[in-house]
Amino acid sequence: MGDRETRCNAGGQFMDRGRMNQNGVVQPLLTDLYQITMAYAYWKSGKTDDHSVFDLFFRSNPFHGEFTIFAGLDECLRFLESFHYSESDIEYLRRTLPEGTENEFFDYLGDLTAKDVTLHAIDEGTVAFPRVPIIKVEGPLIIAQLLETTLLTLVNYASLMATNAARYRMVAGKHVNLLEFGLRRAQGPDGGLSASKYSYTGGFDGTSNVLAGKLFNIPVKGTHAHAYITSFSGIEELKARLLKHKLTGVTGDLLELAIKYRQKLSTVLNVSMEESSEGELAAMVSYAIAFPDGFMALVDTYDVKRSGLLNFCAVALALNDLGYQAVGIRIDSGDLAYLSCLARETFERVAERFKVQWFNKLTIVASNDINEETILSLNEQGHKIDCFGIGTHLVTCQRQPALGCVYKLVEINGQPRIKLSQDVEKVTMPGHKNAYRLYSSDGHALIDLLQKVSETPPEVGQKVLCRHPFQESKRAYVIPSRVEPLYKIYWQNGKITQKLPTLELVREKVQKSLKTLRNDHKRTLNPTPYKVSVSDNLYNFIHDLWLQNAPIGELS
């Protein structure tokens, strides 16, 4: 049994492998069959030494927006680092490929690694745009081809997820916390772990996913479910009601204190005690005894106004008498704008009446099928929510479930390759290219420029002609105040060549990169398209090659 088998469990889960934390299922067989059949055909055709260049890019931004966050590079590099067909992989392929496949091909696969591949990429966490390759792979044709599907699956969802999270961060604002609550709705355990990781990358503050917290060092947050509240039907079910004072150690009866405060609060809040649930009170007392320093309660199990807030405030004031401060509440249903305002007003009244100023700072968390439009609507209604817990719409990317990255051959043995289509959007830009981001005098990103690698890079203060790749009349001169080369070599000669940033640093990179965009590129409704251009030299190169390869029709 090979090294990979010993470190991967049967479920293919993320395994704790020191700094790597690579998903155990990410291996060479995580690919489409046609990659391996093509590899055999290449091998049979004597193309093992052909040198190829592939571009990995996407054709349009997701979510009707005008930017995409590139994510997943770290896992792509880990995949290259561990790329090797194990003995059991080879045995499986012998049984799977058509009868007559030569044994020497399997020997070839058994010795194959990614040591001869060079991978260029933009930095993970950087804003990216359509048609600009986010990864370039060059190396022997067979191995470069075999990488396609796995690289795409590692980049597509990661980038989509990070972009979705970044959009939620923008609409929520920087002063509101965002928590990812989507594990139970995610596309399986691997999707759930990736969602937690890349929502954090995109700007979320934490996750409910405990394993993601362990593997990726993401803050883990959570309270309790409605089941905890409904598991109690009355105060007589409380088996524990005593709690030691945080400072003095003197034991107090938390239930007795809570009942006393509930009577007082009934008058202050003009709520009848008869309408509130004693089972809910018992559950909150029980939870507060378990977590006196972290008491956050779900208040909408029965009725937020008539029961939940009354019982929560009673228990919170009782905790205060014993030296503890509650954290806040979570609302999981109903009119979130109205209920959050009601809760904040309630806390302010309690703070003033009982002289507990920290009540003004209690956290209000809202969940319940929240999406971008929900947050925008709540903003317009003047909500008082401090934190959103977001699940389904975030992790499933319901507005657009796939990014659509593609992996196209653009050069072989120094000769350019182009894919033509009646749909201009699907025509590829041939040849080995470099990309530069040109900045305006106000410091914002102005345009991305693709050039042939043989061309001289653009220079600050020097006029450069930027052309639309396919529309002849769309062109402009740009005099950049800053020129940023987008590509770095991340993998060469069988090793990672750059110091890889931590998840925290990638997270910071996302926000810094977004700040380089003008607000009109980032707005939710009808954002201004960001311009992607080619040099005059590359424009002519593309169109000359297009004419050379396009079939000539005949009319009769």
Side-chain angles (χ1 to χ4, degrees), residues 363-379:
T363 297
I364 300 173
V365 178
S367 47
N368 184 29
D369 215 24
I370 291 170
N371 58 27
E372 266 190 67
E373 287 72 23
T374 305
I375 297 175
L376 288 168
S377 176
L378 288 168
N379 289 344

Side-chain angles (χ1 to χ4, degrees), residues 254-265 273 314 321 354:
L254 189 66
L255 175 62
E256 184 180 300
L257 289 169
I259 291 174
K260 179 186 70 173
Y261 277 116
R262 190 165 72 144
Q263 292 171 339
K264 294 179 180 180
L265 285 164
M273 286 178 54
D321 282 1
F354 294 95

Side-chain angles (χ1 to χ4, degrees), residues 14 90 92 225 228 263 279 285 306 347 395 441 466 476 504 530:
F14 281 80
I90 298 298
Y92 173 76
Y228 192 84
Q263 292 171 339
V285 167
R306 294 181 176 83
F347 296 155
V395 304
S441 56
C466 298
E504 287 288 345
Y530 181 86

Side-chain angles (χ1 to χ4, degrees), residues 98-335:
E99 187 176 349
T101 304
E102 296 180 32
N103 286 329
E104 289 79 6
F105 173 66
F106 297 110
D107 295 336
Y108 172 81
L109 287 185
D111 294 331
L112 196 60
T113 70
K115 64 180 177 59
D116 295 323
V117 168
T118 298
L119 184 143
H120 312 249
I122 67 174
D123 290 337
E124 187 163 8
T126 300
V127 173
F129 301 100
R131 292 193 169 278
V132 179
I134 47 183
I135 290 177
K136 299 189 302 176
V137 174
E138 60 173 315
L141 177 60
I142 294 180
I143 178 64
Q145 185 73 67
L146 286 168
L147 296 175
E148 176 181 1
T149 301
T150 318
L151 293 182
L152 285 172
T153 196
L154 291 174
V155 168
N156 260 312
Y157 182 67
S159 300
L160 186 73
M161 189 69 236
T163 306
N164 202 21
R167 291 175 62 89
Y168 275 98
R169 168 49 65 201
M170 288 194 302
V171 298
K174 61 183 180 180
H175 299 300
V176 174
N177 281 342
L178 294 173
L179 301 177
E180 178 268 311
F181 283 177
L183 178 59
R184 64 186 61 195
R185 304 285 170 77
Q187 282 88 344
D190 296 320
L193 284 166
S194 294
S196 299
K197 179 179 180 179
Y198 293 111
S199 64
Y200 188 66
T201 298
F204 272 57
D205 299 288
T207 178
S208 63
N209 186 339
V210 180
L211 182 56
K214 176 191 175 187
L215 292 176
F216 309 123
N217 198 30
I218 301 172
V220 180
K221 305 289 183 181
T223 53
H224 59 77
H226 292 107
Y228 192 84
I229 299 293
T230 58
S231 70
F232 290 82
S233 59
I235 57 177
E236 68 279 357
E237 294 181 20
L238 274 174
K239 294 183 172 61
R241 48 191 286 177
L242 303 180
L243 181 65
K244 290 183 179 180
H245 193 285
K246 185 173 183 178
L247 299 178
T248 67
V250 176
T251 299
D253 189 321
L254 189 66
L255 175 62
E256 184 180 300
L257 289 169
I259 291 174
K260 179 186 70 173
Y261 277 116
R262 190 165 72 144
Q263 292 171 339
K264 294 179 180 180
L265 285 164
S266 176
T267 302
V268 173
L269 302 181
N270 193 28
V271 177
S272 170
M273 286 178 54
E274 283 70 29
E275 293 184 73
S276 64
S277 167
E278 285 202 347
E280 182 180 58
L281 176 65
M284 289 187 182
V285 167
S286 170
Y287 203 76
I289 289 173
F291 301 102
D293 280 313
F295 178 55
M296 175 170 278
L298 191 56
V299 295
D300 71 311
T301 304
Y302 301 113
D303 188 292
V304 175
K305 183 176 181 179
R306 294 181 176 83
S307 184
L309 284 175
L310 176 66
N311 285 327
F312 169 78
C313 290
V315 176
L317 288 171
L319 280 173
N320 182 69
D321 282 1
L322 295 175
Y324 302 95
Q325 289 187 9
V327 174
I329 63 169
R330 178 163 72 95
I331 306 170
D332 191 48
S333 61
D335 186 332

